[in-house]
């Protein structure tokens, strides 16, 4: 991937008890991004010791 390619980073905290709804929403958003022209990759990172209570999603595209 070229160094200057657009990257979008989204960080979200989920309301306790609404994790399932969030995952369903995240699936829809990810599918929409994957169908966008120039989409290269998406990396969904669930909460872990590095970023507890926070979901991180990185979208990469070929160009703007």
């Amino acid at each position: 991937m070229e160094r200057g390619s657009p990257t979008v980073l989204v960080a979200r905290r989920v309301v306790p008890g609404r994790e399932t709804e969030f995952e369903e929403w995240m699936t829809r958003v990810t599918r929409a991004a994957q169908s966008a022209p120039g989409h290269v990759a998406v990396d969904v990172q669930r909460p872990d010791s590095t970023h507890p209570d926070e979901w991180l999603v990185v979208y990469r595209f070929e160009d703007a």
Side-chain angles (χ1 to χ4, degrees):
M1 184 181 333
E2 194 171 315
R3 184 176 183 155
S5 63
T7 301
V8 178
L9 174 64
V10 178
R12 305 299 319 156
R13 290 183 187 247
V14 179
V15 175
R18 302 200 56 195
E19 293 83 3
T20 300
E21 290 173 72
F22 175 80
E23 288 187 54
E24 291 169 355
W25 173 81
M26 179 59 65
T27 298
R28 291 191 307 272
V29 170
T30 299
R31 285 185 184 147
Q34 290 171 326
S35 68
H39 176 264
V40 174
V42 61
D43 178 27
V44 177
Q45 300 175 19
R46 294 173 177 268
D48 64 17
S49 60
T50 307
H51 46 87
D53 302 321
E54 191 168 55
W55 287 67
L56 298 177
V57 186
V58 180
Y59 298 98
R60 293 185 181 88
F61 298 88
E62 290 178 1
D63 53 43

